Amino acid sequence: MQRSPWRPTRRLRRLAGRRHWTPRLVFWGSAVLVGLSAAALTEMGNAANTRFLALYQRWPWAPFLVSPGGIILSLWLTRRFFPGAQGSGIPQVIAALSQRSGDSPSRLLSVRIAIGKILLTTLGLFSGASIGREGPTVHVGASLTAAAGRLAGIKRPGFERALIMAGGAAGIAAAFNTPIAGIMFAIEELARGFEEHATGTIIITILIAGLTAVAVEGNYTYFGVTQAALAPRQWLLVPACGIAGGLAGGLFSRLVLDLSLRLRETLARYPYRMALAAGLLIAVLGTLSHGSSFGTGYPQARALVVGSAHLPWTFPLTKWLASLVSYLSGIPGGLFAPALATGAGFGADIGRFFPEAPLQAAVILGMVSYLSGVVQTPITAFVIVMEMTANNAMLFPLMAAALIATLVSRQLCREAIYQGLAARFLARTEDETVAAKDYDGLA
């Protein structure tokens, strides 16, 4: 029997076809754009923060002009040219993922919003606002990947949602250089609706099994590399940081959610007066803290982690207040970096009551506790801090502190901050859509 000439199989033809490669090229190309945008925002944000601090060092009275003026300008630009770019950006991404099937997320995620987010976050940092660039990078990442999918004209069910989640996760990973945390962020925060109740079970199971193994065999690593860790008698530091971080973080989230509702009419009627007041408060807090509450807080957190900081015990309090005022002002800016700096300060203060424990251990426990208290995503929090500090030996204490902080935070704020803010964005978007349809009907 003569064999027929070789022909490409159906699978090979499909692999070589446009439908197979277009989605992948969209993913890869938009991922490159996300990385470049994250790098650009990092460089611009750092330069803006550095120049503001240099201005403050030269003229200590300058923040009383620059901070109110910059925040008013940022708010005006947001409202006039970049509506939808306000705040962290993570709530907008969650709101876009929560929209009904068939609804376009372009009001929440677009190239215009991505450009505005980069420019206005930089302006906010030049104004001395206590904001971060990580949430904005998530917003930029999701906006770029969603726009790339629309440009490619791909109508595949679920593909746009996958692009948004991938862009948001890539944003957090690129901003912090924490790829594992990016994956966990996508699972735990952006896809929170899937098995949310399993988070605590996962942490508890891993924690119990891990501590049991350590108790039997000692503190070891698989390839024999050891790092300094908390001794058993020093573990009281873990619940101390977890409870304090949960209380402070839960209170912060509760105030953001409550005040954003109570002040909504006032902010709508007198937006620039409120921006002026916020700018003056930021300047006052920065002056009282000798400049430590201005900006992202990255230099202060890094100095505390490496043990070279000499900050007053009031640093986390002024940073906490400056972050609250900055977010309520309505300008674009994230919560992650200020939260890590605030948590580092709380950890350093708590560590002074435990002189037998390493101060750096208290600092990173404070970071993970306060971040968990604010965002209520314990897995993301401890993975981010672990990756950022390269301290695998602190894994179990970080996990325990994150879980304790999240449980304590939920007693003060039942609604997770990003989920609550996302629900407000989604309701506002739906109201605007209904109003637009009613107007078209009347016309």
Side-chain angles (χ1 to χ4, degrees):
M1 180 178 177
Q2 187 177 5
R3 300 180 62 182
S4 60
W6 179 84
R7 291 188 179 89
T9 65
R10 182 180 300 175
R11 178 174 175 80
L12 287 176
R13 288 196 299 270
R14 188 169 65 250
L15 287 174
R18 179 179 178 273
R19 291 188 61 188
H20 177 82
W21 283 105
T22 298
R24 286 162 175 77
L25 291 175
V26 169
F27 264 117
W28 299 338
S30 58
V32 172
L33 290 177
V34 174
L36 292 174
S37 300
L41 184 52
T42 299
E43 292 298 322
M44 293 167 63
N46 290 342
N49 200 24
T50 300
R51 291 186 180 183
F52 176 84
L53 292 175
L55 188 68
Y56 166 72
Q57 293 297 329
R58 186 170 183 180
W59 294 297
W61 48 264
F64 289 91
L65 296 178
V66 176
S67 295
I71 289 177
I72 290 174
L73 177 60
S74 179
L75 184 63
W76 180 78
L77 290 172
T78 301
R79 293 165 62 90
R80 179 66 178 83
F81 298 104
F82 305 105
Q86 64 269 31
S88 163
I90 294 175
Q92 289 94 313
V93 176
I94 297 173
L97 289 169
S98 303
Q99 285 183 314
R100 293 187 300 266
S101 178
D103 290 347
S104 174
S106 58
R107 289 192 177 187
L108 300 170
L109 306 174
S110 67
V111 174
R112 175 184 53 80
I113 289 177
I115 294 172
K117 203 76 173 185
I118 294 173
L119 296 177
L120 297 178
T121 300
T122 303
L123 176 58
L125 289 171
F126 184 71
S127 306
S130 180
I131 57 175
R133 54 180 172 77
E134 296 74 27
T137 309
V138 172
H139 199 183
V140 169
S143 295
L144 292 178
T145 51
R150 291 193 294 269
L151 182 64
I154 301 171
K155 305 293 185 180
R156 191 175 305 175
F159 183 71
E160 187 172 45
R161 178 182 172 85
L163 278 174
I164 294 171
M165 289 184 64
I172 204 74
F176 280 127
N177 192 26
T178 52
I180 299 175
I183 297 171
M184 296 313 305
F185 175 77
I187 296 172
E188 194 176 22
E189 185 65 79
L190 301 184
R192 182 182 283 260
F194 300 101
E195 302 295 332
E196 179 182 10
H197 66 278
T199 299
T201 303
I202 292 170
I203 295 179
I204 292 173
T205 304
I206 295 172
L207 186 60
I208 293 174
L211 289 176
T212 303
V214 169
V216 173
E217 302 185 44
N219 191 15
Y220 69 99
T221 55
Y222 193 82
F223 290 111
V225 178
T226 59
Q227 299 182 42
L230 289 177
R233 66 181 182 278
Q234 299 168 346
W235 263 67
L236 283 176
L237 181 62
V238 175
C241 289
I243 293 171
L247 289 173
L251 180 60
F252 180 90
S253 298
R254 181 67 177 269
L255 287 174
V256 166
L257 292 173
D258 286 354
L259 291 178
S260 62
L261 278 177
R262 294 181 183 181
L263 297 175
R264 182 169 58 184
E265 292 185 5
T266 305
L267 288 169
R269 291 181 63 185
Y270 310 108
Y272 302 113
R273 294 182 188 180
M274 297 295 290
L276 174 63
L280 290 174
L281 278 173
I282 289 169
V284 170
L285 290 168
T287 301
L288 292 175
S289 65
H290 304 288
S292 61
S293 68
F294 289 131
T296 63
Y298 170 78
Q300 291 80 14
R302 180 177 175 81
L304 286 169
V305 169
V306 301
S308 62
H310 300 284
L311 296 169
W313 68 270
T314 55
F315 163 68
L317 301 178
T318 54
K319 191 65 180 171
W320 187 93
L321 286 170
S323 301
L324 179 64
V325 171
S326 297
Y327 197 86
L328 291 175
S329 70
I331 66 171
L335 294 173
F336 267 83
L340 290 169
T342 304
F346 279 127
D349 286 350
I350 294 169
R352 294 187 176 96
F353 295 95
F354 297 86
E356 70 282 359
L359 185 60
Q360 285 76 17
V363 168
I364 62 175
L365 284 170
M367 293 169 71
V368 77
S369 298
Y370 182 71
L371 182 61
S372 298
V374 172
V375 300
Q376 296 184 6
T377 51
I379 297 177
T380 300
F382 79 72
V383 171
I384 281 180
V385 174
M386 187 184 67
E387 282 194 284
M388 283 173 35
T389 59
N391 193 338
N392 295 331
M394 284 291 293
L395 174 59
F396 293 133
L398 291 176
M399 292 170 63
L403 179 60
I404 292 170
T406 301
L407 294 175
V408 171
S409 174
R410 287 175 181 167
Q411 306 310 307
L412 293 177
C413 185
R414 294 291 183 181
E415 189 177 26
I417 185 170
Y418 288 138
Q419 300 295 320
L421 293 172
R424 289 159 174 73
F425 274 109
L426 190 59
R428 191 181 310 162
T429 302
E430 290 177 350
D431 290 344
E432 291 173 355
T433 302
V434 171
K437 289 181 179 179
D438 291 344
Y439 178 81
D440 290 341
L442 290 173

